[in-house]
Structures are given as C-alpha cells and as structure tokens.
Amino acid sequence: MTDTIVALATAQGLSAIAVIRLSGEDAITLTQKVFSGKNLDTQPSHTIHFGTLRDGTKIIDEVLVSIFKAPNSFTKENSVEISCHGSPVIIKEIIKVLLKNGARLAEPGEFTKRAFLHGRFDLAQAEAVADLINAETDNARQAALNQMRGGFSKEINNLREELIHFASLIELELDFGEEDVEFAKRDDLQKLIRRIQAYLLPLIQSFDEGNVIKNGVPTVIAGKPNAGKSTLLNTLLNEEKAIVSDIPGTTRDVIEDEMVLGGINFRFIDTAGLRETQDVIEAIGVERTRDRMKKASLIIYLFDLTQTTLSEITSEEEHLTSLGIPYIKVGNKVDKAEPILVEELRKHDFIFISASQQTNIAALKDKILASFQVKTVKAGDVLVTNLRHYQNLLQTNEALDRVLESMYNGVTGDFLAMDIRQALHYLGEITGTITTDDLLDNIFSKFCIGK
C-alpha cells in the first residue's frame, strides 16, 4: 500500500491514444523525474499539463499529464494519468522508465482495491466497477451502475446496524444471566427480523434475472450430425463462423459466439453431432457436446426432418427432459420435410425452420427470447447479479430463520446471539465490513490490471 504502482489503463493494442495510470504517495514526484514541462509538484490537483516524457536525454513521446492529489482521487492517493500516443512501443518505453524510477507494476484490480481499502466505496460497489467495465448490454450497464452508486449497500448497512443494536442488547442480557432480565424485547426483535427478511427475499429471488443480465445465457445448439447446427449458428450470427459440409461429423470441437437479443446476451455454442462413433477425435467432440449440454442454460435441439422419425424424436426428447434444462425443439429443413410428419409435430411444440433458406428464423429468435424474459433495468432498481452476494443473502436468511425458530422454541439468549452474529457476519461480507485477505485477493484478482 505504500508503493507507487503503474499500469496501462486502456486496452492493449494500437490506438490513437493510451492512458497510463500511477497511484501512490510518490506518484506525482516520480512522474516529475521523467517529465519535461511544468513542475508537477507545485501544480494544483485536477489539472492537465503538456510536455514530454524522457528517459535521460531521449524523448519518448509528447504527452498530457493529469494530476490528482490525495484524497481527491479515485484511490484517495496521489494519482497521475499519462495520455500518450497509443503505440505499444511508446507504452512499453514509458512504463519501463517509470519502473526504473521507482514504480512497480500494479496487480490485477489493485487501483480499485486501494480505493476500497481507503474507504472510497464498499466492497459491493468495488465489484460493481468491474461489472460496469464488463457490461455487454444496456441492462447490464444499468444494473452495475445502480449497485456502484450504493443504494443496495446503504440498505444492507442500515439493516445490519439495527440488527447490531439487538445483538448488543442480547449480549448484555448474557452478562446479567443470573438476574433473568430482558433488554431485547423478543416481539421487537421478531418484527425486525421479519422486516429484514422481507427486504432480503426479493433480492434473493432477483438473482435468476440478475445473473442472466450480467452473464448472459449459454445456449447450446445440439442434435445429430448433419441436422444443420453449424448452418443455424451462421444464420443466427449472420456470418460464416462455422464450417458447413454435407459430410457427417464436420464439427468436432466447440464453436462459440455471442449476440444480443432483447437486451440479453446469448452465447451460442455449436457442437459436434450426437452419435456413436469409432473416430477417436469425433468421440471427444461428442463427449464435449454432452458436457456442454449439462452446463447450458438453454438447449436448441435440432431435428433433421428429412432423416428422422417420430419414434426417434420421442426417444431423443426423453433424454432432453432428463437433463432438467430448458430446451427448444427445432425441426430443420422444413422445406424438404414430409407434410404428414410436420403436421404431427405441430402437436409437440416444435419450431419449424430452414436454416439454409433462413426460413422462420425470426420466430425462433422470439422463442429463444421468450425463454428468458427480463425487465428493463431502470435507475434505482436493485438486482442481485453477483453469486457471492446471492450466497451471502441466502446464508443471512437461513441464520435469521434459526433466530425465529429459537425464539419460538424458547431457546436461551446465548444461542440467539450466536445465530444473530452469523447473520451479521454474512451481511458484513457483502459490503466488506467483514473481510479476509483471501476474499479480497479472490475478488480483485478478477479485475483487469489497470483498474
């Protein structure tokens, strides 16, 4: 926490400009060592200065240097942002000369971690920063922005403070155990717990929707060889992503790409055709298909209407049902199918398409979207999109259930206090009031280096 850290804050690769970020007590002084222009140490905070960055007498680049003095910066430390030209060679040379003058490379998420540790925001808000960076849809952006602005954290902290008040009264009762006094009125405690649970339960229930908004929907396109899976993938994406061939078993590995439908990011996964095979490589592909189907949130199962019978369809559907995963039955090559089979399958909730002719693809997209309806996220809406928060909310609710059960059964105050402490612990972990080094390392290791 005392080192001055440096990292590229913009994306890798060629660009018009790049931004290199420093943070730490010596960030401004260190930058001044290699900057030729105004004396940065004497300039006011939140100002920008033109000059050159040098390695000795060698000019590396003409730059703009923005300075932010503690505590009025993102990390609440002295911070510098150097805007330079976006050549990878220039970026490398600038970071190299800064390292030579006393900086060290930042670890993943270290800027945000320092902001959290210095009290800029709580842990839930810090995680929302990463979610905002990674948002791929407008709903995901708004959900992350709402959480970053702290409404969720504020309510959690308020409820936790009220629970702490009752916990302290019960702990006080334990100090007077022999006198049989009751400082924490049980009726009031029960009302508080009911109120906390009334707030927690909608949050817990929102996770399914929040998870779809944040992470999208992994959607496996499965079926027998030559059912038209790769053609469908190409049609959905409107590009030649997968190789299409009349030869069965062409697709042997998993092919993926994403598209947004109705504000939801769907990750379509083309897979090897399902069949028994002696080909070792194809067999690996088939096994991967089965594994992806088990992990999918949605399966689009293609039936080749020119090569399948009603009994085969029934058999394959039994296997699909056994997976316990939502699926859509798609009859492909409808333009070549027997009308009698099509009429029969209309009774079985089929979508009929021709992937090669792009027939009825819009109806298939509507069916896919109908499987995961989400509302438009508005400013102020609170959704749980983070698995860690969801697990902590579940554990909090379970601990509060135990408190209610204990009161109903007349359990002594020491057991009540234990369960209340558990609830407080889980609530505290959400916002970072209670943390461990392992928890922080795990969270911030998933951030990008420059954030």
Side-chain angles (χ1 to χ4, degrees), residues 272-284:
L274 293 168
R275 68 171 177 178
E276 298 298 325
T277 178
Q278 298 301 313
D279 186 306
V280 175
I281 296 176
E282 187 183 354
I284 294 172

Side-chain angles (χ1 to χ4, degrees), residues 11-77:
Q12 296 277 358
L14 290 170
S15 60
I17 62 168
V19 176
I20 296 168
R21 171 183 283 174
L22 297 96
S23 184
E25 183 179 346
D26 298 325
I28 298 173
T29 301
L30 190 154
T31 305
Q32 179 60 49
K33 292 180 182 179
V34 298
F35 178 71
S36 180
K38 292 182 180 178
N39 184 347
L40 300 177
D41 288 315
T42 62
Q43 303 307 312
S45 181
H46 292 70
T47 55
I48 302 174
H49 308 280
F50 174 77
T52 58
L53 273 189
R54 301 170 180 250
D55 184 1
T57 58
K58 181 178 101 175
I59 296 177
I60 300 173
D61 193 17
E62 292 184 339
V63 299
L64 289 173
V65 175
S66 306
I67 61 174
F68 308 90
K69 294 189 175 180
N72 300 312
S73 72
F74 176 71
T75 59
K76 301 190 84 169
E77 302 173 327

Side-chain angles (χ1 to χ4, degrees), residues 272 274 282-294:
L274 293 168
E282 187 183 354
I284 294 172
V286 171
E287 187 58 35
R288 288 182 179 179
T289 297
R290 298 188 190 282
D291 184 57
R292 286 302 185 103
M293 289 174 70
K294 293 175 184 176

Side-chain angles (χ1 to χ4, degrees), residues 159-407:
L159 294 173
R160 191 171 183 274
E161 286 299 319
E162 292 188 65
L163 200 54
I164 286 173
H165 172 68
F166 270 94
S168 63
L169 293 178
I170 290 176
E171 297 281 359
L172 189 61
E173 287 179 7
L174 298 179
D175 292 337
F176 292 85
E178 296 180 0
E179 300 180 29
D180 194 27
V181 293
E182 185 179 278
F183 294 109
K185 294 189 179 299
R186 297 308 189 253
D187 287 346
D188 290 342
L189 176 58
Q190 188 178 72
K191 289 176 184 176
L192 173 62
I193 290 174
R194 296 290 188 197
R195 185 156 58 83
I196 293 174
Q197 288 187 317
Y199 180 76
L200 297 184
L201 286 174
L203 290 178
I204 291 169
Q205 292 164 358
S206 76
F207 177 69
D208 286 343
E209 183 177 358
N211 187 49
V212 167
I213 288 172
K214 176 183 175 181
N215 297 315
V217 181
T219 305
V220 168
I221 303 174
K224 288 186 175 180
N226 267 16
K229 300 181 297 299
S230 297
T231 303
L232 177 58
L233 177 71
N234 292 342
T235 299
L236 288 169
L237 300 175
N238 199 28
E239 65 171 294
E240 296 298 313
K241 185 75 176 180
I243 296 173
V244 175
S245 168
D246 291 333
I247 303 171
T250 301
T251 302
R252 297 188 171 203
D253 207 348
V254 172
I255 301 172
E256 304 184 28
D257 212 335
E258 300 177 349
M259 72 177 297
V260 176
L261 293 175
I264 303 174
N265 190 36
F266 286 87
R267 187 167 73 255
F268 291 107
I269 305 164
D270 183 22
T271 57
L274 293 168
R275 68 171 177 178
E276 298 298 325
T277 178
Q278 298 301 313
D279 186 306
V280 175
I281 296 176
E282 187 183 354
I284 294 172
V286 171
E287 187 58 35
R288 288 182 179 179
T289 297
R290 298 188 190 282
D291 184 57
R292 286 302 185 103
M293 289 174 70
K294 293 175 184 176
K295 297 176 181 177
S297 295
L298 178 66
I299 297 171
I300 300 174
Y301 198 90
L302 260 66
F303 295 90
D304 181 348
L305 296 181
T306 67
Q307 298 291 328
T308 192
T309 64
L310 188 58
S311 61
E312 288 174 333
I313 290 172
T314 302
S315 175
E316 290 175 55
E317 187 173 1
E318 287 177 359
H319 172 66
L320 281 173
T321 304
S322 69
L323 294 175
I325 294 168
Y327 61 88
I328 298 172
K329 294 174 289 185
V330 179
N332 191 25
K333 307 180 186 179
V334 67
D335 51 323
K336 300 176 183 178
E338 291 291 337
I340 296 176
L341 178 62
V342 173
E343 284 304 313
E344 182 62 32
L345 293 179
R346 289 190 191 280
K347 306 171 187 176
H348 298 271
D349 195 27
F350 262 72
I351 291 286
F352 298 103
I353 69 167
S354 172
S356 62
Q357 302 299 316
Q358 300 191 14
T359 303
N360 217 25
I361 298 301
L364 174 58
K365 289 181 179 180
D366 289 342
K367 183 77 171 178
I368 292 169
L369 189 55
S371 303
F372 290 90
Q373 287 293 338
V374 297
K375 65 182 181 182
T376 300
V377 181
K378 302 183 295 294
D381 288 349
V382 178
L383 283 175
V384 176
T385 61
N386 187 302
L387 179 60
R388 186 182 74 84
H389 300 170
Y390 173 68
Q391 290 173 330
N392 279 324
L393 290 170
L394 280 179
Q395 290 169 317
T396 300
N397 194 57
E398 289 167 1
L400 294 176
D401 278 340
R402 291 195 296 272
V403 175
L404 291 176
E405 184 179 354
S406 296
M407 284 194 290

